[in-house]
Amino acid sequence: DKRILLLGLGEEKKVTLEVLRRCYAATVKVALSKELSNLSLLLPVVKGVAKDQVIRGISEGMLLSNHRQDGGQQKKGKPLVSN
């Protein structure tokens, strides 16, 4: 079963690290709710934001959305995102 999720970041000039964090965190939440076992991404090119910063924002959002405050992992089994 293959799925495609299109992710809108909004106006390019308004894209920040926080926008990237929130959008990609939402992506992980959707993937977890669908109980997907893997996820492939195409990284956006954002004018005015360095490539390493784009990767950092995306990584932080994905990793933090996969973590609970009590130190456990979302749902049962392995996390979708690991570092």
Side-chain angles (χ1 to χ4, degrees), residues 11-74:
E11 291 183 52
E12 187 173 39
K13 63 184 176 185
K14 294 183 179 180
V15 175
T16 63
L17 290 180
E18 187 59 26
V19 168
L20 292 168
R21 282 185 200 104
R22 290 174 187 257
C23 287
Y24 281 86
T27 300
V28 170
K29 289 178 184 177
V30 168
L32 289 170
S33 74
K34 302 292 183 191
E35 297 183 1
L36 301 178
S37 60
N38 62 45
L39 184 64
S40 298
L41 302 172
L42 290 175
L43 301 181
V45 175
V46 183
K47 289 181 185 172
V49 181
K51 191 177 190 179
D52 64 321
Q53 292 299 304
V54 170
I55 293 169
R56 176 182 173 183
I58 291 170
S59 300
E60 287 175 357
M62 293 181 79
L63 288 169
L64 291 173
S65 70
N66 204 46
H67 183 268
R68 290 190 334 202
Q69 292 294 349
D70 65 4
Q73 293 174 351
Q74 298 272 1

